[in-house]
Amino acid sequence: MVPDTEATAASVCGGILLAKNTSRVTAYGSIDELNSALGLVRSHNKAIWLEQILERLQQDLFIAGADLATPFTAKAVHTTTTRIQAKQVAYLEEQ
Protein backbone atom coordinates (compact mmCIF):
# COMPACT_ATOMS: atom_id res chain seq x y z
CA MET A 1 0.00 0.00 0.00
CA VAL A 2 1.29 3.48 -0.94
CA PRO A 3 1.21 6.01 1.93
CA ASP A 4 -1.21 8.90 1.52
CA THR A 5 1.30 11.72 1.14
CA GLU A 6 -1.46 14.31 0.75
CA ALA A 7 -2.41 13.76 4.39
CA THR A 8 1.16 14.20 5.67
CA ALA A 9 2.99 16.33 3.10
CA ALA A 10 2.51 19.60 1.25
CA SER A 11 3.96 20.34 -2.15
CA VAL A 12 5.72 23.69 -2.37
CA CYS A 13 6.87 25.51 -5.49
CA GLY A 14 9.39 23.49 -7.42
CA GLY A 15 7.58 20.23 -6.61
CA ILE A 16 9.34 19.74 -3.30
CA LEU A 17 7.37 17.83 -0.66
CA LEU A 18 7.53 19.06 2.94
CA ALA A 19 5.90 17.57 6.00
CA LYS A 20 2.73 19.48 6.83
CA ASN A 21 3.93 20.00 10.41
CA THR A 22 7.06 21.96 9.40
CA SER A 23 7.25 25.58 10.46
CA ARG A 24 7.41 26.71 6.81
CA VAL A 25 4.15 24.99 5.85
CA THR A 26 2.45 26.06 9.08
CA ALA A 27 3.54 29.67 8.51
CA TYR A 28 2.31 29.99 4.94
CA GLY A 29 -0.91 28.21 5.88
CA SER A 30 -1.47 30.74 8.65
CA ILE A 31 -0.69 33.61 6.30
CA ASP A 32 -3.19 32.22 3.80
CA GLU A 33 -5.88 31.98 6.49
CA LEU A 34 -5.21 35.55 7.62
CA ASN A 35 -5.34 36.78 4.04
CA SER A 36 -8.68 35.05 3.59
CA ALA A 37 -10.06 36.68 6.74
CA LEU A 38 -8.88 40.09 5.53
CA GLY A 39 -10.68 39.46 2.25
CA LEU A 40 -13.89 38.84 4.18
CA VAL A 41 -13.38 42.06 6.15
CA ARG A 42 -12.77 43.95 2.90
CA SER A 43 -15.99 42.61 1.41
CA HIS A 44 -17.96 44.27 4.25
CA ASN A 45 -15.82 47.38 4.69
CA LYS A 46 -17.10 50.77 3.53
CA ALA A 47 -14.29 53.03 4.82
CA ILE A 48 -11.90 54.10 2.04
CA TRP A 49 -9.01 54.72 4.45
CA LEU A 50 -9.35 51.20 5.87
CA GLU A 51 -9.66 49.67 2.39
CA GLN A 52 -6.26 51.08 1.47
CA ILE A 53 -4.65 49.54 4.56
CA LEU A 54 -6.35 46.17 4.08
CA GLU A 55 -5.38 46.03 0.41
CA ARG A 56 -1.74 46.71 1.23
CA LEU A 57 -1.79 44.10 4.00
CA GLN A 58 -3.22 41.51 1.64
CA GLN A 59 -0.67 42.28 -1.06
CA ASP A 60 2.25 41.99 1.35
CA LEU A 61 0.84 38.84 2.96
CA PHE A 62 0.42 37.26 -0.47
CA ILE A 63 4.07 37.96 -1.25
CA ALA A 64 5.15 36.60 2.14
CA GLY A 65 3.13 33.42 1.62
CA ALA A 66 4.50 32.91 -1.87
CA ASP A 67 8.02 33.51 -0.58
CA LEU A 68 7.57 30.88 2.13
CA ALA A 69 6.09 28.44 -0.38
CA THR A 70 9.12 28.84 -2.65
CA PRO A 71 12.27 27.34 -1.17
CA PHE A 72 15.52 28.84 -2.37
CA THR A 73 16.32 25.42 -3.84
CA ALA A 74 13.37 25.57 -6.26
CA LYS A 75 15.48 26.20 -9.38
CA ALA A 76 12.67 26.73 -11.88
CA VAL A 77 11.03 29.58 -9.98
CA HIS A 78 13.90 30.94 -7.94
CA THR A 79 14.79 33.80 -10.27
CA THR A 80 11.21 34.92 -10.92
CA THR A 81 9.83 34.72 -7.40
CA THR A 82 9.16 38.00 -5.64
CA ARG A 83 10.70 37.80 -2.19
CA ILE A 84 9.34 39.67 0.79
CA GLN A 85 11.41 42.74 1.62
CA ALA A 86 12.37 44.01 5.07
CA LYS A 87 10.23 47.14 4.64
CA GLN A 88 7.19 44.97 3.91
CA VAL A 89 7.81 42.88 7.01
CA ALA A 90 8.15 46.06 9.07
CA TYR A 91 4.85 47.37 7.69
CA LEU A 92 3.09 44.08 8.50
CA GLU A 93 4.49 44.12 12.03
CA GLU A 94 3.35 47.71 12.56
CA GLN A 95 -0.19 46.98 11.45
Side-chain angles (χ1 to χ4, degrees):
M1 180 174 185
V2 177
D4 183 8
T5 56
E6 189 172 316
T8 59
S11 178
V12 294
C13 294
I16 298 167
L17 287 178
L18 295 176
K20 284 189 175 179
N21 63 351
T22 62
S23 56
R24 177 184 290 269
V25 174
T26 300
Y28 77 72
S30 296
I31 287 172
D32 187 54
E33 290 293 325
L34 175 57
N35 222 346
S36 177
L38 289 176
L40 181 62
V41 170
R42 285 181 70 191
S43 73
H44 295 283
N45 175 52
K46 298 198 182 345
I48 293 173
W49 67 270
L50 183 56
E51 171 62 20
Q52 294 168 341
I53 293 170
L54 293 172
E55 181 180 20
R56 166 98 188 261
L57 287 171
Q58 279 196 294
Q59 290 172 349
D60 288 352
L61 286 169
F62 185 80
I63 292 170
D67 192 351
L68 285 169
T70 308
F72 283 102
T73 57
K75 295 176 187 172
V77 292
H78 176 68
T79 57
T80 60
T81 300
T82 301
R83 299 292 179 175
I84 191 83
Q85 302 298 309
K87 65 182 180 181
Q88 291 168 302
V89 173
Y91 179 80
L92 290 169
E93 290 175 342
E94 288 172 12
Q95 299 305 313

